Amino acid sequence: MSATQPAVDRVRVSAKPDWYESAGISLGIRVGNLVFTSGQAPIDDRGATVGVGDFEAQARQALANLSTVLTNAGSSLADTVKATVFVTDITRQDVYARLRAEHFPDEPHLAESFVEVSSLADPEWMIEIEAIGLVR
């Protein structure tokens, strides 16, 4: 027995300007009522790194970019169900925990992985955040 399911369209999520278009990747992809974001870096809408050497400033920018992508897909930070946070220094977890409580205050709390990596795509970046959000 085989079951056929209707095809679900993949819809590219973008912004104006789209800070990842030149890299050949999407800011996010919406599939049905889920949105999957690319890792959001601490960059402004021109692609310039924000807060060089300042973890909190970079985390705030990455969270702002994440919020923009989710909102443009019909979701929001409040509708985030899973996040993966990549950092170059795991000792910054306390700073991020404070920002997480500020940006994701609702319960149930989102599922999250907090991972230290040796480097990110740009050596000035200290954090990158990707997420899965619900579209209501």
Side-chain angles (χ1 to χ4, degrees):
M1 175 190 274
S2 84
T4 39
Q5 297 187 3
V8 178
D9 288 332
R10 296 180 332 153
V11 178
R12 181 175 186 272
V13 180
S14 63
K16 297 245 188 259
D18 187 326
W19 51 89
Y20 282 176
E21 188 169 13
S22 65
I25 61 175
S26 297
L27 292 173
I29 296 289
R30 181 175 166 176
V31 180
N33 70 336
L34 294 175
V35 57
F36 301 85
T37 74
S38 290
Q40 296 305 307
I43 57 176
D44 63 21
D45 59 6
R46 295 177 322 277
T49 300
V50 171
V52 175
D54 182 341
F55 179 81
E56 184 168 341
Q58 288 200 3
R60 286 188 182 282
Q61 183 66 45
L63 285 162
N65 290 348
L66 181 63
S67 178
T68 296
V69 174
L70 290 166
T71 298
N72 288 359
S75 186
S76 68
L77 291 177
D79 292 315
T80 301
V81 295
K82 170 72 169 100
T84 304
V85 182
F86 302 97
V87 296
T88 57
D89 182 356
I90 200 80
T91 66
R92 306 296 178 119
Q93 189 168 12
D94 60 333
V95 175
Y96 187 76
R98 182 172 41 79
L99 295 175
R100 180 191 329 105
E102 190 179 305
H103 288 81
F104 302 100
D106 299 332
E107 291 192 17
H109 298 298
L110 71 150
E112 181 185 276
S113 299
F114 193 84
V115 182
E116 182 178 53
V117 296
S118 60
S119 65
L120 293 163
D122 184 308
E124 293 182 327
W125 297 352
M126 304 167 79
I127 187 168
E128 188 170 326
I129 308 167
E130 65 182 27
I132 301 169
L134 290 172
V135 177
R136 296 187 188 266

